[in-house]
Amino acid sequence: MSVKVNIHPVLRHMTKGQSVVEVKGSTVGQCLKQLVAQFPETESALFNKDGRLLSYVEIYVNRESSYPEELKKKVADGDEIHIVLMLTGG
Amino acid sequence: MLTESDMERYDRQIIIDGLGQEGQERLKKARVVIAGSGGLGSAVSVYLVAAGVGTVRLIDHDRVELSNLNRQVLHWDKDIGRRKVISASEKLRSLNPGVTIEAVDETIKEDNVARLVAGFDMIVDAMDNFPVRLMLNKAALDRNIPFFYGGVHGFEGRAMTIIPGRTACLKCVYHGSIPGDKIPVVGATPAVIGSIQATEVIKYIVGIGELLADTLLVYNGLDMEFTRFKVKRDPDCEHCGKWRDEVKNEC
Ligand SMILES: [Zn+2]
């Protein structure tokens, strides 16, 4: 089982510049945990102290929003996760 | 009715299949609010005014600062210290004197937003903060008019078109903002996103093409990629949820 996690440009300095990280897992939560295991700096950029996703972090699975229960969302081999951040500038 | 000069000025778009004289007449009758005269506002307003949208209302309460000039291209060095809506409307009127441009030098707030958008057919979001974006989102839903969202950060931007009663609204997809008060932006980014918003407005008015409905378009200038993400209407949304349909049915 391999799932591709697309890393938002703002977070790439935490993944040694990698734009895509391959992980294993059957839910979004498991996949993101693996991402954090590989790149520990990403933890504080994605989760709050209670382990919940930060409010401005958006998760898409195969380009579809996985809100509201993002971490429980099931993923399968070959799926793609996108980590995207809400932008506010104008 | 289009004048002879209109026919010549808009010739290159009138010859577009599906736009034609009828589409141009629709553009001429349209009344659009552009909320914000900054980076996004500069791009959106230039292309809507050039396209012959009949009435454009610009709303912004800021003055031009030196640090705006890398991206807010309607404001020039000589405009530093002037009101943004005055600086912007001056340029837009000389670009196209046939368009009515209203310059509203006010801060958009809960208690004036309904008045500021009254009598208009659509609202373009060219704001730089979320509290006001959400006020505009709600005002558009209350008036049952479309709302064209845009946002930028660095080399990245996003856009989405909201049609009341039909698509997810901004509140459905908004759950929080990146912290920090100084937002990095390279000027070409709001130019890309503002041009996309202007394209959506023109398509909506003319009635051609597919809108960014239930679709968040994300532009990543660093990788030079556009990605379309599917979003859903939240039935419990505070702004557009099912309660709104129920209230409407009771009336
Ligand atoms: Zn909504």
Side-chain angles (χ1 to χ4, degrees), chain A:
Chain A
M1 286 269 285
S2 165
V3 174
K4 282 185 181 164
V5 183
N6 290 269
I7 311 297
H8 189 273
V10 168
L11 307 180
R12 283 184 201 162
H13 64 278
M14 300 169 178
T15 59
K16 298 197 167 75
Q18 268 180 252
S19 57
V20 179
V21 176
E22 298 223 8
V23 296
K24 289 184 196 315
S26 57
T27 64
V28 167
Q30 287 173 6
C31 291
L32 295 185
K33 220 174 246 175
Q34 278 229 347
L35 172 71
V36 169
Q38 287 185 48
F39 302 103
E41 274 180 77
T42 57
E43 183 166 25
S44 61
L46 298 176
F47 299 102
N48 65 18
K49 284 187 190 118
D50 313 324
R52 294 225 301 267
L53 215 52
L54 292 170
S55 64
Y56 53 86
V57 175
E58 299 172 356
I59 302 292
Y60 297 89
V61 175
N62 298 332
R63 295 174 179 75
E64 240 177 77
S65 170
S66 59
Y67 183 83
E69 301 271 7
E70 295 98 326
L71 300 180
K72 290 184 188 156
K73 180 96 181 168
K74 294 255 183 276
V75 288
D77 199 17
D79 279 354
E80 263 193 272
I81 295 174
H82 280 82
I83 299 173
V84 183
L85 305 180
M86 176 47 95
L87 311 179
T88 60

Side-chain angles (χ1 to χ4, degrees), chain B residues 137 141 168-172 233-234 237 239-241:
Chain B
N137 178 67
L141 289 160
C169 81
L170 192 55
K171 179 79 177 162
C172 294
R233 198 171 161 193
D234 174 1
C237 173
H239 284 191
C240 79

Side-chain angles (χ1 to χ4, degrees), chain B:
Chain B
M1 273 296 285
L2 299 177
T3 63
E4 211 169 293
S5 146
D6 287 340
M7 290 298 290
E8 187 174 345
R9 178 184 286 262
Y10 306 116
D11 176 63
R12 295 303 191 280
Q13 61 195 54
I14 288 174
I15 61 175
I16 294 173
D17 246 356
L19 201 149
Q21 282 191 42
E22 203 191 314
Q24 192 61 48
E25 273 166 23
R26 281 195 199 144
L27 288 168
K28 196 172 180 173
K29 282 189 207 124
R31 299 169 57 81
V32 181
V33 169
I34 302 173
S37 289
L40 288 170
S42 290
V44 174
S45 56
V46 159
Y47 287 109
L48 292 185
V49 167
V53 165
T55 306
V56 170
R57 174 177 283 181
L58 309 175
I59 311 174
D60 200 308
H61 191 52
D62 282 346
R63 287 178 186 273
V64 179
E65 292 173 29
L66 180 58
S67 65
N68 298 150
L69 302 189
N70 81 314
R71 62 197 185 281
Q72 304 185 9
V73 295
L74 271 186
H75 312 302
W76 304 343
D77 202 74
K78 70 174 175 69
D79 300 312
I80 292 167
R82 297 176 75 203
R83 291 279 177 215
K84 283 188 182 175
V85 285
I86 302 300
S87 155
S89 55
E90 200 174 88
K91 274 80 164 210
L92 294 168
R93 282 188 194 114
S94 33
L95 167 64
N96 192 346
V99 171
T100 304
I101 292 153
E102 298 179 9
V104 179
D105 178 17
E106 281 192 61
T107 304
I108 301 170
K109 296 190 205 124
E110 294 280 4
D111 61 5
N112 67 5
V113 62
R115 170 173 60 80
L116 292 175
V117 304
F120 281 77
D121 310 320
M122 56 208 86
I123 304 172
V124 181
D125 161 27
M127 295 308 304
D128 58 1
N129 70 84
F130 249 89
V132 176
R133 276 194 176 93
L134 291 174
M135 283 178 214
L136 292 165
N137 178 67
K138 181 151 187 307
L141 289 160
D142 287 344
R143 280 191 54 75
N144 203 24
I145 58 174
F147 180 54
F148 300 85
Y149 159 65
V152 294
H153 185 115
F155 280 91
E156 193 186 333
R158 42 166 63 197
M160 185 171 90
T161 297
I162 292 128
I163 310 295
R166 230 187 78 197
T167 71
C169 81
L170 192 55
K171 179 79 177 162
C172 294
V173 303
Y174 175 79
H175 313 295
S177 309
I178 304 180
D181 41 27
K182 207 191 244 181
I183 299 164
V185 188
V186 63
T189 305
V192 170
I193 298 301
S195 301
I196 288 168
Q197 290 174 287
T199 306
E200 290 286 285
V201 170
I202 292 168
K203 278 156 54 186
Y204 177 82
I205 296 170
V206 173
I208 51 171
E210 293 296 323
L211 297 168
L212 287 171
D214 289 327
T215 304
L216 182 69
L217 180 71
V218 174
Y219 159 71
N220 169 351
L222 286 177
D223 299 334
M224 205 39 89
E225 256 180 0
F226 284 91
T227 312
R228 293 165 64 99
F229 293 109
K230 274 276 150 220
V231 295
K232 291 186 292 273
R233 198 171 161 193
D234 174 1
D236 300 321
C237 173
E238 278 171 52
H239 284 191
C240 79
K242 284 223 173 73
W243 63 271
R244 190 177 278 274
D245 298 336
E246 280 152 21
V247 169
K248 220 183 275 167
N249 290 343
E250 278 162 27
C251 293

